[in-house]
Amino acid sequence: MENRVAIITGSGRGIGKAIAMKLAQENMNIVICDVDETAIAETVKEIEGTGVQAIGIKVDVTNSADVARLFDETIKKFERVDVLVNNAGITRDNLLIRMQESDWDAVIAVNLKGTFNCLKAAAKIMMKQRSGKIVNISSVVGVMGNIGQANYSASKGAVISLTKSAAKELAPRNITVNAIAPGYIETEMTKNLPDNVKEMFLNLVPLKRPGSPEDVANVVSFLVSHQADYITGQVIHVDGGMVM
Ligand code: NAD
């Protein structure tokens, strides 16, 4: 893993930050990108504490000009991009009949268009390098659907089909593209869910506990390693058995 360069979107906190820490512990140089400047600064400091190089860039993944700047600055600093993890994501939950058009648009923009923007920018660089590993963070609800999450589940389902199309297109250049479908993971995103919803999720988990951000980071670490060189276009569930 040494001297490889990884960009992780939405890595100021939560699952993205855990992924950044895990890849840093494996001696990769890290690019932290997020919309939250304070979180970026704190995370970069923590990553530098592990002894690798890190840069932080404020980026809104929905904005293609921001994404172009993210990749330009990464190349300027590190001269290559070996790993992209499309992790930035939001929820705007509501029942279908109450869902505002703006809630639909916002979720599709970050979760789906943001993934497309970064995937496209990374592919251009990785195709020239003739190597690269891309991991898209989807969700179990992208597979099974969920009440109150029509926008979110549609975006995450689309991330899975985007992953498969990209995997087929990029395979000839030795680039793998896989997705992870986390289940119920304890982060800021799920902290404020009503207790009855948390209980409902836990009742669906055979392993009877919520996942941690590190549970997801461990699988990213495997998928971007050379041990996973022959795996592409797959969706790996990290959900305690919720969907099988
Ligand atoms: P989180 O809300 O704790 O962190 C998301 C991060 O993304 C934040 O730092 C936020 O500032 C950043 N972000 C939001 N919009 C952005 C944008 N436009 N551009 C750049 N950065 C942006 O969430 P999390 O729980 O760590 O989730 C991370 C990913 O995992 C998301 O894609 C989420 O959908 C997915 N996921 C989470 C769970 C869960 O249970 N927590 C389950 C399945 C999937």
Side-chain angles (χ1 to χ4, degrees), residues 1 4 22-23 26 133 135 176 178 180 215-231 236:
M1 295 282 210
R4 292 169 82 207
K22 176 77 185 172
L23 299 185
E26 291 169 354
K133 303 271 188 200
V135 178
T176 64
N178 291 290
I180 293 178
D215 287 322
V216 180
N218 289 337
V219 179
V220 173
S221 158
F222 167 68
L223 287 174
V224 305
S225 77
H226 290 303
Q227 290 174 45
D229 279 349
Y230 202 54
I231 299 175
I236 313 289

Side-chain angles (χ1 to χ4, degrees), residues 59 68 79 96 139 181 210:
V59 173
E79 296 176 354
L96 195 50
S139 167

Side-chain angles (χ1 to χ4, degrees), residues 28 61 63 101 143 146 157 183 210 223 225:
M28 298 186 72
V61 293
N63 181 322
E101 193 177 340
V143 177
N146 197 22
L223 287 174
S225 77

Side-chain angles (χ1 to χ4, degrees), residues 166-185:
K168 286 184 178 178
E169 276 191 37
L170 301 177
R173 301 293 180 105
N174 193 32
I175 300 162
T176 64
V177 190
N178 291 290
I180 293 178
Y184 170 29
I185 310 295

Side-chain angles (χ1 to χ4, degrees), residues 6-244:
I7 297 177
I8 304 105
T9 70
S11 44
R13 70 179 197 194
I15 294 171
K17 181 173 180 175
I19 294 167
M21 290 301 296
K22 176 77 185 172
L23 299 185
Q25 282 155 11
E26 291 169 354
N27 287 321
M28 298 186 72
N29 294 320
I30 303 293
V31 180
I32 298 297
C33 96
D34 205 291
V35 281
D36 181 340
E37 262 177 313
T38 314
I40 292 173
E42 283 170 13
T43 305
V44 166
K45 220 169 152 187
E46 280 183 53
I47 298 279
E48 284 173 339
T50 68
V52 300
Q53 295 183 65
I55 54 172
I57 305 175
K58 187 182 177 192
V59 173
D60 176 350
V61 293
T62 67
N63 181 322
S64 55
D66 265 19
V67 171
R69 185 171 46 79
L70 166 67
F71 282 83
D72 286 350
E73 287 185 25
T74 302
I75 291 292
K76 211 163 131 191
K77 170 78 179 171
F78 294 120
E79 296 176 354
R80 52 186 300 113
V81 178
D82 300 286
V83 170
L84 166 68
V85 183
N86 280 306
N87 165 81
I90 60 167
T91 51
R92 295 279 186 279
D93 297 351
N94 215 333
L95 292 175
L96 195 50
I97 56 167
R98 293 201 196 124
M99 190 172 282
Q100 301 294 314
E101 193 177 340
S102 56
D103 294 332
W104 175 269
D105 289 345
V107 168
I108 298 294
V110 178
N111 300 5
L112 182 55
K113 188 182 170 193
T115 300
F116 162 73
N117 282 340
C118 296
L119 189 51
K120 183 177 169 183
K124 284 184 183 165
I125 294 165
M126 290 174 176
M127 283 171 83
K128 280 193 205 134
Q129 289 172 183
R130 292 190 172 269
S131 71
K133 303 271 188 200
I134 298 171
V135 178
N136 297 325
I137 306 298
S138 174
S139 167
V140 286
V141 306
V143 177
M144 66 178 192
N146 197 22
I147 292 169
Q149 292 200 306
N151 49 0
Y152 183 78
S153 60
S155 73
K156 293 298 189 179
V159 163
I160 291 175
S161 39
L162 174 60
T163 299
K164 293 178 182 179
S165 296
K168 286 184 178 178
E169 276 191 37
L170 301 177
R173 301 293 180 105
N174 193 32
I175 300 162
T176 64
V177 190
N178 291 290
I180 293 178
Y184 170 29
I185 310 295
E186 275 184 328
T187 66
E188 293 291 317
M189 184 181 267
T190 49
K191 195 169 84 176
N192 295 322
L193 285 174
D195 284 344
N196 63 329
V197 175
K198 287 183 184 170
E199 203 182 308
M200 177 205 70
F201 274 131
L202 275 183
N203 282 335
L204 294 173
V205 178
L207 284 176
K208 290 291 168 222
R209 67 165 177 91
S212 68
E214 290 71 27
D215 287 322
V216 180
N218 289 337
V219 179
V220 173
S221 158
F222 167 68
L223 287 174
V224 305
S225 77
H226 290 303
Q227 290 174 45
D229 279 349
Y230 202 54
I231 299 175
T232 197
Q234 303 304 307
V235 185
I236 313 289
H237 287 247
V238 182
D239 64 1
M242 189 191 280
V243 176
M244 50 172 99

